[in-house]
């Protein structure tokens, strides 16, 4: 598995991550990430500002090349079927997050109703459990996704421990953040575009 692909894709997905954030998402140690980033910076593919990394245009081009090569080596018909199966779980998560943010679809959830929030957490737990086998199947088809089961489980554990920010807070590896990144990975692996998925009501 290409460390270069892992690091560049993580930078793309996270926008302007720190080295530690990249390492945590990739499952690599910080030294390995630094090594890859130094080479990318020397090649003009990545930039670093105030400890945060970003892709330069050359880095985006390089990432597209790496992803295309990865796609060519995968079972695309099987991935397409797995993506269609994923859609039902994605729809369920979008509904769950909406209910977490809004009560009755209109009132901002101020999280004063502990029973209501507990119900959402239980729905998330059930969804997570149901998605384990389909996710394992996806990892079998595309081994680079191997970090996602642990990342989702870690986020859920924090939610169930009472730190509810880990359900949908942006800028951390909340359940919704990791799920969004997984969805982006699946779009790329199957050659889909998010704008087309959005038009079909499947993005989110």
């Amino acid at each position: 598995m290409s460390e270069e692909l892992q690091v560049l894709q993580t930078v793309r997905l996270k926008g302007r991550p720190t080295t530690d954030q990249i390492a945590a998402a990739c499952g690599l140690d910080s030294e390995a990430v630094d090594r890859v980033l130094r080479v990318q910076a020397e090649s003009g593919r990545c930039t670093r500002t105030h400890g945060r990394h970003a892709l330069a245009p050359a880095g985006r081009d390089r990432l597209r090349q790496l992803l295309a090569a990865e796609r060519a080596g995968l079972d695309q018909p099987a991935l397409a079927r797995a993506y269609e199966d994923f859609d039902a779980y994605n729809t369920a998560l979008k509904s769950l997050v909406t209910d977490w943010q809004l009560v009755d679809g209109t009132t901002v959830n101020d999280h004063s109703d502990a029973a209501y929030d507990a119900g959402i957490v239980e729905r998330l737990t059930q969804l997570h459990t149901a998605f384990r086998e389909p996710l394992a199947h996806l990892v079998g088809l595309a081994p680079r996704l191997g970090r996602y089961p642990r990342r989702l489980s870690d986020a859920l554990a924090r939610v169930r421990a009472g730190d509810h920010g880990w359900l949908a807070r942006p800028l951390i590896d909340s359940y919704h953040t990791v799920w969004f990144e997984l969805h982006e990975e699946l779009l790329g692996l199957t050659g889909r575009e998010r704008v087309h998925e959005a038009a079909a009501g499947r993005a989110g």
Side-chain angles (χ1 to χ4, degrees):
M1 188 183 304
S2 167
E3 290 184 350
E4 181 186 19
L5 172 54
Q6 288 178 281
V7 170
L8 291 179
Q9 178 73 327
T10 301
V11 174
R12 183 186 78 83
L13 291 173
K14 291 192 170 298
R16 295 184 59 81
T18 64
T19 299
D20 287 345
Q21 288 171 331
I22 298 168
C26 290
L28 301 172
D29 60 53
S30 295
E31 289 184 3
V33 172
D34 267 333
R35 183 170 60 251
V36 173
L37 289 170
R38 279 198 302 271
V39 171
Q40 299 305 311
E42 290 167 0
S43 302
R45 295 171 181 160
C46 278
T47 61
R48 176 172 178 163
T49 306
H50 303 303
R52 294 186 174 274
H53 307 277
L55 292 183
R60 294 186 180 277
D61 290 342
R62 175 60 175 164
L63 179 57
R64 280 192 288 268
Q65 294 170 2
L66 293 171
L67 290 172
E70 180 184 46
R71 278 196 304 274
L74 300 177
D75 184 340
Q76 287 299 324
L79 271 171
R81 291 191 295 271
Y83 182 82
E84 294 301 321
D85 291 340
F86 167 80
D87 184 54
Y89 298 98
N90 189 50
T91 297
L93 184 73
K94 286 193 294 183
S95 175
L96 185 155
V97 171
T98 296
D99 291 344
W100 179 254
Q101 296 169 336
L102 299 173
V103 179
D104 297 327
T106 57
T107 305
V108 174
N109 182 11
D110 64 5
H111 304 292
S112 61
D113 187 339
Y116 179 85
D117 283 0
I120 303 295
V121 172
E122 181 56 30
R123 284 169 56 191
L124 179 64
T125 303
Q126 293 173 2
L127 174 62
H128 179 84
T129 300
F131 188 54
R132 279 177 182 164
E133 187 173 338
L135 179 55
H137 179 58
L138 285 166
V139 172
L141 293 171
R144 191 169 55 77
L145 303 181
R147 285 288 295 170
Y148 282 91
R150 173 55 59 190
R151 293 177 70 199
L152 289 170
S153 293
D154 287 348
L156 177 63
R158 290 175 181 265
V159 174
R160 290 184 59 81
D163 192 345
H164 290 169
W166 284 83
L167 196 154
R169 184 184 299 161
L171 305 181
I172 62 171
D173 269 5
S174 66
Y175 201 96
H176 185 253
T177 296
V178 176
W179 187 281
F180 178 88
E181 291 177 10
L182 173 62
H183 192 183
E184 282 290 307
E185 294 276 22
L186 294 177
L187 291 173
L189 288 168
T190 57
R192 288 170 165 82
E193 297 287 344
R194 178 166 284 273
V195 64
H196 297 149
E197 292 298 288
R202 290 194 292 251

